[in-house]
PDB file of all heavy atoms in Angstrom:
ATOM      1  N   LEU A 697      14.277  10.907  -8.710  1.00  0.00           N
ATOM      2  CA  LEU A 697      13.468   9.815  -8.171  1.00  0.00           C
ATOM      3  C   LEU A 697      12.025  10.224  -8.159  1.00  0.00           C
ATOM      4  O   LEU A 697      11.732  11.413  -8.044  1.00  0.00           O
ATOM      5  CB  LEU A 697      13.892   9.499  -6.702  1.00  0.00           C
ATOM      6  CG  LEU A 697      15.243   8.860  -6.426  1.00  0.00           C
ATOM      7  CD1 LEU A 697      15.499   8.849  -4.923  1.00  0.00           C
ATOM      8  CD2 LEU A 697      15.344   7.490  -7.029  1.00  0.00           C
ATOM      9  N   PRO A 698      11.079   9.270  -8.229  1.00  0.00           N
ATOM     10  CA  PRO A 698       9.656   9.639  -8.054  1.00  0.00           C
ATOM     11  C   PRO A 698       9.451  10.235  -6.658  1.00  0.00           C
ATOM     12  O   PRO A 698       9.866   9.665  -5.660  1.00  0.00           O
ATOM     13  CB  PRO A 698       8.919   8.319  -8.214  1.00  0.00           C
ATOM     14  CG  PRO A 698       9.870   7.403  -8.941  1.00  0.00           C
ATOM     15  CD  PRO A 698      11.248   7.834  -8.499  1.00  0.00           C
ATOM     16  N   ALA A 699       8.794  11.375  -6.603  1.00  0.00           N
ATOM     17  CA  ALA A 699       8.598  12.087  -5.332  1.00  0.00           C
ATOM     18  C   ALA A 699       7.407  11.553  -4.544  1.00  0.00           C
ATOM     19  O   ALA A 699       7.427  11.561  -3.313  1.00  0.00           O
ATOM     20  CB  ALA A 699       8.435  13.586  -5.563  1.00  0.00           C
ATOM     21  N   ILE A 700       6.390  11.101  -5.251  1.00  0.00           N
ATOM     22  CA  ILE A 700       5.144  10.691  -4.590  1.00  0.00           C
ATOM     23  C   ILE A 700       4.970   9.191  -4.625  1.00  0.00           C
ATOM     24  O   ILE A 700       5.166   8.515  -5.633  1.00  0.00           O
ATOM     25  CB  ILE A 700       3.910  11.396  -5.273  1.00  0.00           C
ATOM     26  CG1 ILE A 700       4.042  12.899  -5.176  1.00  0.00           C
ATOM     27  CG2 ILE A 700       2.638  10.901  -4.642  1.00  0.00           C
ATOM     28  CD1 ILE A 700       4.024  13.436  -3.751  1.00  0.00           C
ATOM     29  N   SER A 701       4.570   8.651  -3.460  1.00  0.00           N
ATOM     30  CA  SER A 701       4.203   7.233  -3.345  1.00  0.00           C
ATOM     31  C   SER A 701       2.804   7.181  -2.746  1.00  0.00           C
ATOM     32  O   SER A 701       2.440   8.014  -1.892  1.00  0.00           O
ATOM     33  CB  SER A 701       5.204   6.531  -2.395  1.00  0.00           C
ATOM     34  OG  SER A 701       4.737   5.267  -1.999  1.00  0.00           O
ATOM     35  N   ALA A 702       1.973   6.217  -3.216  1.00  0.00           N
ATOM     36  CA  ALA A 702       0.602   6.186  -2.718  1.00  0.00           C
ATOM     37  C   ALA A 702       0.035   4.788  -2.780  1.00  0.00           C
ATOM     38  O   ALA A 702       0.447   3.945  -3.592  1.00  0.00           O
ATOM     39  CB  ALA A 702      -0.284   7.129  -3.610  1.00  0.00           C
ATOM     40  N   SER A 703      -0.904   4.508  -1.873  1.00  0.00           N
ATOM     41  CA  SER A 703      -1.723   3.300  -1.915  1.00  0.00           C
ATOM     42  C   SER A 703      -3.057   3.625  -1.257  1.00  0.00           C
ATOM     43  O   SER A 703      -3.185   4.603  -0.564  1.00  0.00           O
ATOM     44  CB  SER A 703      -1.052   2.125  -1.229  1.00  0.00           C
ATOM     45  OG  SER A 703      -0.943   2.346   0.177  1.00  0.00           O
ATOM     46  N   ALA A 704      -4.078   2.796  -1.568  1.00  0.00           N
ATOM     47  CA  ALA A 704      -5.422   3.076  -1.042  1.00  0.00           C
ATOM     48  C   ALA A 704      -6.146   1.769  -0.788  1.00  0.00           C
ATOM     49  O   ALA A 704      -5.866   0.731  -1.405  1.00  0.00           O
ATOM     50  CB  ALA A 704      -6.215   3.917  -2.025  1.00  0.00           C
ATOM     51  N   SER A 705      -7.088   1.813   0.162  1.00  0.00           N
ATOM     52  CA  SER A 705      -7.874   0.639   0.470  1.00  0.00           C
ATOM     53  C   SER A 705      -9.256   1.056   1.020  1.00  0.00           C
ATOM     54  O   SER A 705      -9.466   2.179   1.410  1.00  0.00           O
ATOM     55  CB  SER A 705      -7.154  -0.219   1.514  1.00  0.00           C
ATOM     56  OG  SER A 705      -7.076   0.440   2.780  1.00  0.00           O
ATOM     57  N   LYS A 706     -10.152   0.070   1.069  1.00  0.00           N
ATOM     58  CA  LYS A 706     -11.476   0.256   1.625  1.00  0.00           C
ATOM     59  C   LYS A 706     -11.689  -0.814   2.672  1.00  0.00           C
ATOM     60  O   LYS A 706     -11.594  -2.021   2.368  1.00  0.00           O
ATOM     61  CB  LYS A 706     -12.552   0.164   0.542  1.00  0.00           C
ATOM     62  CG  LYS A 706     -13.941   0.426   1.011  1.00  0.00           C
ATOM     63  CD  LYS A 706     -14.921   0.412  -0.163  1.00  0.00           C
ATOM     64  CE  LYS A 706     -16.351   0.755   0.270  1.00  0.00           C
ATOM     65  NZ  LYS A 706     -17.285   0.753  -0.884  1.00  0.00           N
ATOM     66  N   ASP A 707     -11.987  -0.427   3.901  1.00  0.00           N
ATOM     67  CA  ASP A 707     -12.106  -1.402   4.962  1.00  0.00           C
ATOM     68  C   ASP A 707     -13.512  -1.979   5.057  1.00  0.00           C
ATOM     69  O   ASP A 707     -14.424  -1.559   4.266  1.00  0.00           O
ATOM     70  CB  ASP A 707     -11.654  -0.834   6.322  1.00  0.00           C
ATOM     71  CG  ASP A 707     -12.570   0.254   6.886  1.00  0.00           C
ATOM     72  OD1 ASP A 707     -13.745   0.370   6.439  1.00  0.00           O
ATOM     73  OD2 ASP A 707     -12.143   0.996   7.759  1.00  0.00           O
ATOM     74  N   LYS A 708     -13.725  -2.893   5.927  1.00  0.00           N
ATOM     75  CA  LYS A 708     -14.996  -3.622   6.013  1.00  0.00           C
ATOM     76  C   LYS A 708     -16.182  -2.738   6.404  1.00  0.00           C
ATOM     77  O   LYS A 708     -17.346  -3.065   6.158  1.00  0.00           O
ATOM     78  CB  LYS A 708     -14.883  -4.802   6.973  1.00  0.00           C
ATOM     79  CG  LYS A 708     -13.913  -5.865   6.491  1.00  0.00           C
ATOM     80  CD  LYS A 708     -13.696  -6.949   7.514  1.00  0.00           C
ATOM     81  CE  LYS A 708     -12.668  -7.961   7.020  1.00  0.00           C
ATOM     82  NZ  LYS A 708     -12.375  -9.028   8.059  1.00  0.00           N
ATOM     83  N   SER A 709     -15.881  -1.603   7.030  1.00  0.00           N
ATOM     84  CA  SER A 709     -16.953  -0.689   7.428  1.00  0.00           C
ATOM     85  C   SER A 709     -17.273   0.323   6.318  1.00  0.00           C
ATOM     86  O   SER A 709     -18.171   1.158   6.481  1.00  0.00           O
ATOM     87  CB  SER A 709     -16.557   0.065   8.677  1.00  0.00           C
ATOM     88  OG  SER A 709     -15.484   0.942   8.452  1.00  0.00           O
ATOM     89  N   GLY A 710     -16.529   0.262   5.224  1.00  0.00           N
ATOM     90  CA  GLY A 710     -16.776   1.159   4.100  1.00  0.00           C
ATOM     91  C   GLY A 710     -15.879   2.367   4.072  1.00  0.00           C
ATOM     92  O   GLY A 710     -15.946   3.188   3.109  1.00  0.00           O
ATOM     93  N   LEU A 711     -15.014   2.544   5.071  1.00  0.00           N
ATOM     94  CA  LEU A 711     -14.114   3.699   5.074  1.00  0.00           C
ATOM     95  C   LEU A 711     -12.983   3.497   4.057  1.00  0.00           C
ATOM     96  O   LEU A 711     -12.410   2.413   3.972  1.00  0.00           O
ATOM     97  CB  LEU A 711     -13.508   3.911   6.471  1.00  0.00           C
ATOM     98  CG  LEU A 711     -14.466   4.380   7.585  1.00  0.00           C
ATOM     99  CD1 LEU A 711     -13.714   4.418   8.919  1.00  0.00           C
ATOM    100  CD2 LEU A 711     -14.995   5.763   7.256  1.00  0.00           C
ATOM    101  N   VAL A 712     -12.686   4.576   3.336  1.00  0.00           N
ATOM    102  CA  VAL A 712     -11.586   4.541   2.356  1.00  0.00           C
ATOM    103  C   VAL A 712     -10.408   5.271   2.962  1.00  0.00           C
ATOM    104  O   VAL A 712     -10.517   6.332   3.543  1.00  0.00           O
ATOM    105  CB  VAL A 712     -12.004   5.215   1.033  1.00  0.00           C
ATOM    106  CG1 VAL A 712     -10.815   5.398   0.100  1.00  0.00           C
ATOM    107  CG2 VAL A 712     -13.091   4.364   0.335  1.00  0.00           C
ATOM    108  N   HIS A 713      -9.222   4.662   2.808  1.00  0.00           N
ATOM    109  CA  HIS A 713      -7.970   5.260   3.299  1.00  0.00           C
ATOM    110  C   HIS A 713      -6.989   5.416   2.172  1.00  0.00           C
ATOM    111  O   HIS A 713      -6.792   4.443   1.410  1.00  0.00           O
ATOM    112  CB  HIS A 713      -7.368   4.437   4.459  1.00  0.00           C
ATOM    113  CG  HIS A 713      -8.259   4.448   5.664  1.00  0.00           C
ATOM    114  ND1 HIS A 713      -9.083   3.355   5.938  1.00  0.00           N
ATOM    115  CD2 HIS A 713      -8.445   5.361   6.649  1.00  0.00           C
ATOM    116  CE1 HIS A 713      -9.760   3.622   7.072  1.00  0.00           C
ATOM    117  NE2 HIS A 713      -9.391   4.798   7.501  1.00  0.00           N
ATOM    118  N   ILE A 714      -6.353   6.564   2.077  1.00  0.00           N
ATOM    119  CA  ILE A 714      -5.341   6.820   1.050  1.00  0.00           C
ATOM    120  C   ILE A 714      -4.058   7.284   1.762  1.00  0.00           C
ATOM    121  O   ILE A 714      -4.080   8.272   2.506  1.00  0.00           O
ATOM    122  CB  ILE A 714      -5.821   7.922   0.085  1.00  0.00           C
ATOM    123  CG1 ILE A 714      -7.208   7.595  -0.507  1.00  0.00           C
ATOM    124  CG2 ILE A 714      -4.809   8.137  -1.030  1.00  0.00           C
ATOM    125  CD1 ILE A 714      -7.887   8.761  -1.209  1.00  0.00           C
ATOM    126  N   SER A 715      -3.023   6.531   1.550  1.00  0.00           N
ATOM    127  CA  SER A 715      -1.719   6.895   2.201  1.00  0.00           C
ATOM    128  C   SER A 715      -0.809   7.468   1.142  1.00  0.00           C
ATOM    129  O   SER A 715      -0.585   6.882   0.085  1.00  0.00           O
ATOM    130  CB  SER A 715      -1.102   5.665   2.880  1.00  0.00           C
ATOM    131  OG  SER A 715      -1.054   4.555   2.033  1.00  0.00           O
ATOM    132  N   LEU A 716      -0.243   8.635   1.471  1.00  0.00           N
ATOM    133  CA  LEU A 716       0.574   9.407   0.531  1.00  0.00           C
ATOM    134  C   LEU A 716       1.935   9.749   1.198  1.00  0.00           C
ATOM    135  O   LEU A 716       1.959  10.098   2.380  1.00  0.00           O
ATOM    136  CB  LEU A 716      -0.114  10.693   0.135  1.00  0.00           C
ATOM    137  CG  LEU A 716      -1.483  10.579  -0.505  1.00  0.00           C
ATOM    138  CD1 LEU A 716      -2.216  11.913  -0.458  1.00  0.00           C
ATOM    139  CD2 LEU A 716      -1.366  10.055  -1.923  1.00  0.00           C
ATOM    140  N   VAL A 717       2.991   9.650   0.392  1.00  0.00           N
ATOM    141  CA  VAL A 717       4.309  10.045   0.873  1.00  0.00           C
ATOM    142  C   VAL A 717       4.959  10.974  -0.139  1.00  0.00           C
ATOM    143  O   VAL A 717       4.904  10.697  -1.317  1.00  0.00           O
ATOM    144  CB  VAL A 717       5.220   8.804   1.097  1.00  0.00           C
ATOM    145  CG1 VAL A 717       6.561   9.248   1.698  1.00  0.00           C
ATOM    146  CG2 VAL A 717       4.542   7.786   1.979  1.00  0.00           C
ATOM    147  N   ASN A 718       5.504  12.060   0.330  1.00  0.00           N
ATOM    148  CA  ASN A 718       6.309  12.974  -0.513  1.00  0.00           C
ATOM    149  C   ASN A 718       7.739  12.883  -0.023  1.00  0.00           C
ATOM    150  O   ASN A 718       8.060  13.372   1.058  1.00  0.00           O
ATOM    151  CB  ASN A 718       5.773  14.416  -0.396  1.00  0.00           C
ATOM    152  CG  ASN A 718       6.627  15.376  -1.244  1.00  0.00           C
ATOM    153  OD1 ASN A 718       7.376  14.968  -2.099  1.00  0.00           O
ATOM    154  ND2 ASN A 718       6.465  16.647  -0.989  1.00  0.00           N
ATOM    155  N   VAL A 719       8.609  12.243  -0.810  1.00  0.00           N
ATOM    156  CA  VAL A 719       9.996  12.030  -0.369  1.00  0.00           C
ATOM    157  C   VAL A 719      10.875  13.208  -0.723  1.00  0.00           C
ATOM    158  O   VAL A 719      12.050  13.244  -0.319  1.00  0.00           O
ATOM    159  CB  VAL A 719      10.578  10.719  -0.985  1.00  0.00           C
ATOM    160  CG1 VAL A 719       9.715   9.540  -0.666  1.00  0.00           C
ATOM    161  CG2 VAL A 719      10.822  10.861  -2.457  1.00  0.00           C
ATOM    162  N   ASP A 720      10.384  14.164  -1.481  1.00  0.00           N
ATOM    163  CA  ASP A 720      11.185  15.331  -1.858  1.00  0.00           C
ATOM    164  C   ASP A 720      11.711  16.029  -0.600  1.00  0.00           C
ATOM    165  O   ASP A 720      10.958  16.331   0.298  1.00  0.00           O
ATOM    166  CB  ASP A 720      10.371  16.301  -2.703  1.00  0.00           C
ATOM    167  CG  ASP A 720      11.239  17.235  -3.525  1.00  0.00           C
ATOM    168  OD1 ASP A 720      12.053  17.948  -2.911  1.00  0.00           O
ATOM    169  OD2 ASP A 720      11.120  17.249  -4.751  1.00  0.00           O
ATOM    170  N   SER A 721      12.985  16.314  -0.586  1.00  0.00           N
ATOM    171  CA  SER A 721      13.617  16.892   0.598  1.00  0.00           C
ATOM    172  C   SER A 721      13.327  18.349   0.770  1.00  0.00           C
ATOM    173  O   SER A 721      13.491  18.927   1.879  1.00  0.00           O
ATOM    174  CB  SER A 721      15.142  16.671   0.561  1.00  0.00           C
ATOM    175  OG  SER A 721      15.710  17.436  -0.513  1.00  0.00           O
TER     176      SER A 721
END
Side-chain angles (χ1 to χ4, degrees):
L697 291 174
I700 298 298
S701 167
S703 67
S705 67
K706 184 176 183 178
D707 69 18
K708 293 174 183 177
S709 68
L711 290 175
V712 170
H713 295 99
I714 306 165
S715 49
L716 303 164
V717 185
N718 179 16
V719 305
D720 200 302
S721 66

